[in-house]
Amino acid sequence: MLGLNPIGVLAKAAGVKVTTIRYYEGIGLLPTPPRTASDRRLYGEEDARRLSFIRHARELGFPIEAIRSLLELSSHPELPCDLADEIVSHQLLVVEAKIAQLCALREELTRISLACEGGATGTCRVIEALADHGLCSTEHV
């Protein structure tokens, strides 16, 4: 992507939808781009880099406000990176909690599946377990 390009070119280069770019502009993650005389948005290399940063951060599960903070930090290279480290450490805790929850879900689903003895649904252990959370052996919520 060289020079100024329309929104479709930026979207394709970044692997996002045009509506995503408009959304990020609307919430202030991407600056409002210059427009042509016919009111078409034009984007440059810096926009592409910023969008790539946002997309990668979203793929890593960062919430919008954390991305906003990280973008602000990235525009001040003279600042210490303590806040960036805090943000990523918090995200790591969130991911670890999700992993723990998924492990509990796997354990419970495995237990329910193994309890199935076949037969009619009226006596099905899977249906029974899903109908009564009290039958679960782990806390998976």
Side-chain angles (χ1 to χ4, degrees):
M1 214 180 108
L2 297 173
L4 294 177
N5 293 286
I7 196 168
V9 173
L10 177 65
K12 186 174 181 178
V16 300
K17 295 180 179 179
V18 167
T19 54
T20 301
I21 295 171
R22 288 184 183 136
Y23 172 72
Y24 290 154
E25 285 174 13
I27 63 171
L29 285 184
L30 283 174
T32 303
R35 293 182 181 252
T36 66
S38 62
D39 207 32
R40 292 181 64 193
R41 295 170 168 97
L42 292 176
Y43 300 88
E45 287 300 317
E46 182 54 36
D47 298 309
R49 279 190 292 279
R50 189 172 178 98
L51 183 56
S52 177
F53 182 101
I54 295 167
R55 180 175 177 231
H56 190 208
R58 291 298 287 158
E59 288 171 350
L60 291 171
F62 285 97
I64 295 295
E65 287 312 310
I67 296 170
R68 189 180 311 280
S69 296
L70 290 165
L71 285 167
E72 179 63 25
L73 286 170
S74 73
S75 67
H76 297 284
E78 74 284 355
L79 293 176
C81 66
D82 297 352
L83 184 55
D85 188 48
E86 277 181 40
I87 293 169
V88 77
S89 293
H90 175 75
Q91 184 61 20
L92 181 57
L93 290 174
V94 168
V95 168
E96 287 172 345
K98 287 179 184 178
I99 289 170
Q101 182 183 24
L102 288 171
C103 287
L105 285 172
R106 179 182 57 206
E107 186 178 316
E108 190 59 34
L109 289 170
T110 299
R111 189 190 67 74
I112 290 170
S113 178
L114 293 173
C116 182
E117 299 169 350
T121 57
T123 59
C124 179
R125 298 288 184 200
V126 172
I127 301 295
E128 185 180 306
L130 293 174
D132 184 357
H133 186 69
L135 295 175
C136 293
S137 66
T138 61
E139 187 57 42
H140 51 82
V141 178

